[in-house]
């Protein structure tokens, strides 16, 4: 039974920071990517950041580069997204994903999503 449970969403003012967490259970991290995706109202889901679970490889969307940081916990069963200098355009539902190729929206497992609102 595989579950990805997200937390840390909320409402913040522009320029603020927020950290999202994704706790995984029921599966084992291997030499694959985990990532964060987001979907704003009226828009398609887009890749935000991705990290390889074995090697030190990360990818970021140009719109968040320098502001967001993706990381894995020491036990590699928790995924984080540190979001700094938040902008209203970052408002979206953020999804954690596991077992995929990177920023491409082709992952096997997905979390339920957590709302981030920036005003």
């Amino acid at each position: 039974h595989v579950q990805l449970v997200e937390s840390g969403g909320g409402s913040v003012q522009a320029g603020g920071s927020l950290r999202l967490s994704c706790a995984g259970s029921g599966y084992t991290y291997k030499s694959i990517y985990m990532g964060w995706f987001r979907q704003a109202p009226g828009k398609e889901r887009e890749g935000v950041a991705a990290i390889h679970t074995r090697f030190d490889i990360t990818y970021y969307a140009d719109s968040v580069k320098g502001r967001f940081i993706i990381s894995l916990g020491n036990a590699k069963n928790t995924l984080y997204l540190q979001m700094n200098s938040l902008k209203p355009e970052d408002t979206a539902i953020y999804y954690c994903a596991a077992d995929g190729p990177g920023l491409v929206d082709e992952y096997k497992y997905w979390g339920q999503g957590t709302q981030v609102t920036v005003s």
Side-chain angles (χ1 to χ4, degrees):
H1 180 65
V2 176
Q3 279 191 313
L4 298 175
V5 181
E6 297 142 319
S7 62
S11 299
V12 298
Q13 295 188 32
S17 297
L18 204 62
R19 188 175 76 156
L20 305 182
S21 300
C22 173
S25 63
Y27 70 98
T28 302
Y29 291 98
K30 297 183 178 180
S31 298
I32 55 176
Y33 285 89
M34 294 189 70
W36 288 97
F37 294 77
R38 67 186 182 187
Q39 187 168 23
K43 297 183 178 180
E44 295 185 346
R45 188 161 57 190
E46 63 176 347
V48 176
I51 184 169
H52 201 283
T53 58
R54 185 176 296 272
F55 304 112
D56 188 18
I57 304 172
T58 58
Y59 296 104
Y60 294 94
D62 288 340
S63 60
V64 307
K65 197 170 298 181
R67 299 189 298 121
F68 291 9
I69 302 172
I70 188 171
S71 62
L72 285 165
N74 290 334
K76 297 187 177 181
N77 63 344
T78 304
L79 181 71
Y80 301 100
L81 184 67
Q82 178 67 46
M83 303 184 293
N84 301 314
S85 301
L86 283 162
K87 305 175 181 179
E89 64 192 58
D90 295 318
T91 296
I93 299 175
Y94 283 72
Y95 297 91
C96 170
D99 195 359
L103 288 179
V104 179
D105 190 8
E106 297 178 358
Y107 280 71
K108 182 182 295 184
Y109 305 109
W110 293 87
Q112 79 287 349
T114 184
Q115 177 71 46
V116 172
T117 302
V118 185
S119 60

